[in-house]
Amino acid sequence: MKLSKYLAPTLRDVPAEAEITSHQLMLRAGLMRKLASGVYSYLPLGLRALKKVENIVRKGMDNHGAQELLMSALLPREYYEESGRWEIFGEDMFRLKDRGQRDFCLGPTHEEIFTDTVKNNIHSYKQLPVTLYQIQTKYRDERRPRFGVIRSREFIMKDAYSFDRDQAGLDASYKNMYDAYCEIFDAMKLDYLAVDADSGAMGGSGSQEFMVKSEIGEDTIAYCSCGYCANEEKAQCVAGEKDSAEMLPMNKIHTPNSRTIEELTESLNTDAKHFAKTLIYRADDKCVAVMLRGDREVNETKLKNHLGAIELELASAEDVMRITGAPVGFAGPIGLKEKVEIIADFEIAGMKNMVVGANEGDYHFENVNTERDFTPDFIGDFRNITEGDICPVCGKAEIKTCRGIEVGHIFKLGTKYSEAMGCTVLDENGKDQTLIMGCYGIGVSRCLAAIIEQHSDENGIIWPMSVAPFHVAVVPVNSNDTAQAELADKIYNELIANGVEAVLDDRNERVGVKFKDADLIGYPLRITVGKKAADGIVEYKERASGNMEELTVADAIAKAIAKVREV
Ligand code: 9G3
């Protein structure tokens, strides 16, 4: 490809709304352009890299026996009504009507569609197991699109669905997909972790997320040297030892203007560990009181799963006033004005002589103890795990945490969708058997951004050879110098003839601009044709290592071909 004719509009400046490296570089390197909030167009360089990522995913799936389909993205309401999800996904779902006023949505995920396809086309247990997949555009009206294609409203997903006749079959299909994912993310040169994850609204018997380690990741991962690794949403906390101190007499204290834990520790001059905060939550149509140690954070996923709630949010100030009789910041388990379930984290049961809100403005109780002064309705694990906690698996090493970008998520679904949609096969005895499903997602466009997050420096992108939009940039220092231009052209054609994807920077630009663009776009290799062209000597540079060396033309071409074929 000759760059003088190619649409690769690089930018010097970083667009203001791009906060993270990959978003900045995808715009500056001319890979994509924003069309609307959370909606992007891929320019030629971006599309070439995206197709490389897609094909790595496709190869991994095909190698593991999955069969590729392509479903519609324009989906009739009926399928989602059959599974009961038409309402559940609320405003996240893009809905529209056709000319006959019939309801459709733009597909956010396809469990229902694949299940219907299997229901109508697979009738015997002899046709199982089967894993079907597609690579297709998905639509989700994210409340806060951000970070470019990492959280966009239109994105490319590989979604796969496995169908088995029993749990052992699902376990095998799930393991097969797990192995495929490791192969796929290794081929993309992503540094990832497979973490135990919450299955959320999907239900089923467990799931794992494939997380790319990154400081800008939205998820927090808890991991241990023993190998335990879980999303913070799911990571179990170990109940510590009980405090053996004597119970002291409960006492009401005046705490004017001390609403937050910080203000309380300040005014009472005690550590946050001696406080028990009481948060009032609204879970669907009821309110609950959640208690945990003052220095801990509520894990809303654990709370939501325990309550089986669809919507969970902190109660409004009005709710708090009605339930506690006090403004926000003075809630406690003693003297609530309205009976609400009191849910306590394990640690509360182990604490002695706590300070709690007195359900009265500017007042708290000190020396409060469970059993003597109040009894929680339920005690369980409701807090976020933190660095330094004891690992719930090995019970010895301390938990560490890091941040990650979710690029894949695999689920053991069970019969949730096959039951709802009557997806069965006849077994050996001619009896109907409901199929057992798994589902498996990879954020293909998100992988592109994750690769850049992990492979870039201050000069730009550093593409791994396997996903680079082109392998080699051939750069004549002075395009007006005939000897240089001719030799550059010769090298370019020789590379192409050997299956190397090369670009020739034949633009009438200063060499500094050509070098900066080559580093920004991130071609893995660069062959520069300069003053020594007449002596048949060129400069060979590797973007990743920065190594530069002078080689004969033949050696430079041979080295580039070998490097490309290493993939
Ligand atoms: C929706 C909307 C948003 C959604 C979903 C449905 C997330 C939804 C979960 C999944 C689970 C798996 C198959 C591939 C792997 C992931 N957000 N999820 O189902 F209607 Cl608007 O997508 N689906």
Side-chain angles (χ1 to χ4, degrees):
M1 190 57 70
K2 300 198 174 185
L3 290 186
S4 58
K5 306 274 185 292
Y6 198 64
L7 178 59
T10 54
L11 304 172
R12 280 282 156 270
D13 303 323
V14 177
E17 91 266 10
E19 302 163 72
I20 61 169
T21 301
S22 57
H23 189 186
Q24 294 164 356
L25 290 178
M26 288 179 79
L27 294 171
R28 284 193 52 217
L31 271 59
M32 73 179 186
R33 285 294 178 266
K34 175 175 157 182
L35 193 64
S37 165
V39 180
Y40 292 89
S41 312
Y42 290 93
L43 299 184
L45 283 171
L47 185 61
R48 283 182 72 98
L50 182 68
K51 290 289 173 203
K52 295 277 180 84
V53 170
E54 264 185 30
N55 286 328
I56 287 174
V57 173
R58 178 170 284 113
K59 190 159 164 259
M61 296 301 287
D62 294 351
N63 284 352
H64 284 260
Q67 299 175 53
E68 186 170 7
L69 285 68
L70 180 60
M71 300 310 198
S72 160
L74 177 63
L75 303 170
R77 167 182 184 147
E78 290 69 26
Y79 294 94
Y80 288 86
E81 284 203 304
E82 219 175 329
S83 66
R85 293 212 292 181
W86 181 258
E87 296 309 330
I88 288 179
F89 284 103
E91 292 185 328
D92 283 6
M93 196 179 245
F94 279 103
R95 302 161 205 267
L96 67 158
K97 288 180 183 297
D98 70 5
R99 65 173 65 204
Q101 298 311 304
R102 282 178 289 270
D103 288 319
F104 286 79
C105 72
L106 294 182
T109 184
H110 282 67
E111 279 80 5
E112 289 80 356
I113 312 304
F114 275 76
T115 305
D116 184 72
T117 302
V118 167
K119 170 184 171 182
N120 297 331
N121 297 283
I122 290 185
H123 304 296
S124 161
Y125 71 97
K126 291 175 184 161
Q127 297 171 278
L128 297 179
V130 67
T131 297
L132 308 172
Y133 79 95
Q134 67 174 345
I135 298 178
Q136 199 235 40
T137 305
K138 293 281 185 293
Y139 298 88
R140 295 178 183 179
D141 198 358
E142 294 286 346
R143 189 196 306 264
R144 274 192 64 220
R146 61 195 297 233
F147 295 172
V149 293
I150 282 186
R151 181 167 293 285
S152 52
R153 296 195 288 170
E154 177 185 57
F155 57 98
I156 295 173
M157 183 199 274
K158 183 286 300 172
D159 46 323
Y161 306 82
S162 62
F163 298 83
D164 285 277
R165 53 180 310 193
D166 53 31
Q167 186 62 39
L170 169 57
D171 292 346
S173 295
Y174 182 91
K175 172 76 172 66
N176 181 42
M177 285 291 101
Y178 181 96
D179 294 343
Y181 276 44
C182 292
E183 214 176 272
I184 287 165
F185 296 126
D186 286 342
M188 292 182 202
K189 304 290 180 238
L190 281 173
D191 175 14
Y192 64 90
L193 286 168
V195 311
D196 294 349
D198 180 63
S199 299
M202 298 308 290
S205 60
S207 75
Q208 286 168 292
E209 286 164 337
F210 284 75
M211 290 286 188
V212 166
K213 292 179 203 163
S214 163
E215 279 316 303
I216 61 102
E218 292 180 336
D219 289 82
T220 299
I221 301 152
Y223 63 95
C224 175
S225 49
C226 77
Y228 175 68
C229 194
N231 189 310
E232 176 187 69
E233 289 177 343
K234 170 121 184 166
Q236 301 133 355
C237 300
V238 177
E241 69 287 342
K242 284 184 180 301
D243 182 343
S244 56
E246 283 306 305
M247 286 196 215
L248 300 174
M250 190 170 94
N251 176 32
K252 190 172 180 179
I253 45 179
H254 188 214
T255 50
N257 310 317
S258 298
R259 293 163 187 273
T260 65
I261 294 291
E262 292 69 35
E263 288 162 344
L264 272 166
T265 45
E266 189 68 35
S267 61
L268 299 179
N269 193 21
T270 41
D271 189 293
K273 289 187 173 59
H274 293 302
F275 290 94
K277 57 186 169 188
T278 304
L279 301 169
I280 309 295
Y281 271 93
R282 170 169 288 283
D284 296 334
D285 54 3
K286 71 171 184 177
C287 285
V288 295
V290 184
M291 291 185 72
L292 68 168
R293 201 172 78 183
D295 59 326
R296 300 302 198 186
E297 293 304 319
V298 180
N299 182 310
E300 294 190 351
T301 302
K302 293 176 184 174
L303 181 59
K304 203 172 181 181
N305 289 344
H306 166 72
L307 294 168
I310 290 176
E311 293 291 335
L312 178 81
E313 57 192 359
L314 281 170
S316 65
E318 294 72 27
D319 282 341
V320 171
M321 178 56 84
R322 189 185 73 255
I323 291 166
T324 68
V328 175
F330 296 95
I334 299 164
L336 286 163
K337 305 304 178 287
E338 193 177 284
K339 177 86 187 89
V340 291
E341 189 183 1
I342 297 177
I343 295 171
D345 179 69
F346 281 130
E347 287 182 322
I348 294 294
M351 288 170 71
K352 284 280 182 11
N353 304 321
M354 297 175 260
V355 176
V356 301
N359 292 320
E360 186 181 339
D362 290 349
Y363 283 90
H364 282 77
F365 286 122
E366 62 179 355
N367 303 330
V368 172
N369 291 276
T370 52
E371 304 312 321
R372 183 189 71 182
D373 306 323
F374 75 97
T375 304
D377 296 296
F378 187 86
I379 296 174
D381 175 12
F382 293 106
R383 69 178 174 85
N384 275 340
I385 201 164
T386 55
E387 289 253 344
D389 278 353
I390 294 299
C391 171
V393 169
C394 73
K396 286 195 289 291
E398 289 196 350
I399 284 291
K400 295 205 175 330
T401 62
C402 67
R403 300 191 69 76
I405 303 168
E406 176 193 331
V407 290
H409 197 164
I410 58 180
F411 297 75
K412 289 186 179 180
L413 275 186
T415 57
K416 175 173 175 170
Y417 297 92
S418 44
E419 195 88 62
M421 306 188 74
C423 179
T424 61
V425 293
L426 292 179
D427 67 11
E428 293 83 343
N429 312 316
K431 215 160 89 25
D432 266 350
Q433 202 180 20
T434 302
L435 298 190
I436 317 270
M437 290 176 63
C439 68
Y440 316 87
I442 290 180
V444 174
S445 37
R446 184 180 278 185
C447 281
L448 195 62
I451 290 165
I452 296 172
E453 284 295 327
Q454 289 197 333
H455 298 277
S456 56
D457 63 13
E458 65 283 357
N459 298 314
I461 300 168
I462 304 174
W463 287 113
M465 194 61 88
S466 59
V467 293
F470 287 97
H471 301 134
V472 185
V474 180
V475 180
V477 170
N478 178 354
S479 295
N480 300 324
D481 172 310
T482 321
Q484 289 184 21
E486 281 174 3
L487 180 54
D489 205 60
K490 179 173 169 294
I491 292 169
Y492 167 71
N493 287 312
E494 178 84 6
L495 289 171
I496 300 257
N498 282 278
V500 172
E501 295 170 28
V503 295
L504 174 65
D505 193 344
D506 58 347
R507 294 176 298 168
N508 195 2
E509 292 277 1
R510 285 181 296 101
V511 70
V513 169
K514 294 185 182 183
F515 284 173
K516 269 199 176 306
D517 277 357
D519 285 347
L520 172 61
I521 291 167
Y523 307 109
L525 303 174
R526 191 184 83 200
I527 295 177
T528 304
V529 179
K531 287 196 199 57
K532 298 189 176 177
D535 313 328
I537 298 294
V538 295
E539 182 192 80
Y540 175 93
K541 181 190 174 189
E542 286 183 359
R543 176 75 176 86
S545 62
N547 289 344
M548 272 200 278
E549 52 186 322
E550 291 196 339
L551 297 173
T552 64
V553 170
D555 287 352
I557 290 174
K559 195 162 183 166
I561 291 169
K563 198 84 183 133
V564 169
R565 287 182 182 161
E566 260 172 30
V567 172

